[in-house]
Amino acid sequence: MKNIFLLSTIINSANVGSNGMSDDLKGAIITALVTGLISIIGFVVTNTSMKRNFKNELKRQRDSIVLEKMSTMPYEVLALMDELIESDRIQNETIKKRDREQNLKHFKEIMNTIYSYGSEAAIKIISLIQKENYASSQNSNCADKYRMITSYVLLATQIKYDVTEISVSPELWFQMRMTDYLIYKDDFKNANNKLIDELKLKTEFKIK
């Protein structure tokens, strides 16, 4: 609308100031003005469109990289948790130490990937796991196995949602993997729901 008004103003100005000009000259001036204005409008529209397309392409590439990096993380997190549980059952101290070193390396790789490409919620969970892992390494009495297992399951659940937008209850994992889950359901439920409240995660992840 502003461009149309500007065009009208230019043409009217040309008409007012050209009483002494021939019709051919007036026509040439108006044509030149209109052509110039159309070129300017075309440049602005093209430039705006190119910027929008660039932003969209940049976002698409960014989302593609994040998806590629995070798509296997739920599996990696749960696999690491299984490795940690199995490591605790090893009696031979030499083998246990070797496994712990491998698990620590695996954990650092997961932590770096999540920090680099994960959502804020996923980073909150992995940060809490790291903090509590350190606390339990200094004092084994600080370890809470229900909270530890639940935090890994919640992390996998959160990343699954980030990648697929599919929201599932962590309880499904407990039901799938633990034959005696009903015996310990209240313990896992309390640990799970408390973590969700602490970290302000999705309420859909709560166990009812």
Side-chain angles (χ1 to χ4, degrees), residues 70 77 107 110-133 147-148 150-156 158-159 162 194-202 205:
M70 297 298 292
V77 168
F107 177 79
I110 290 174
M111 185 167 57
N112 290 339
T113 301
I114 291 175
Y115 182 80
S116 299
Y117 303 101
S119 66
E120 181 180 359
I123 294 172
K124 283 182 180 179
I125 301 171
I126 194 72
S127 297
L128 177 70
I129 292 174
Q130 167 68 347
K131 176 183 176 183
E132 298 192 352
N133 280 346
R147 185 177 172 92
M148 185 273 288
T150 297
S151 61
Y152 278 91
V153 177
L154 264 177
L155 179 57
Q158 178 64 55
I159 298 173
D162 295 338
K194 184 178 180 180
L195 280 169
I196 290 172
D197 290 337
E198 284 180 17
L199 301 177
K200 295 180 174 56
L201 304 178
K202 291 176 67 65
F205 296 159

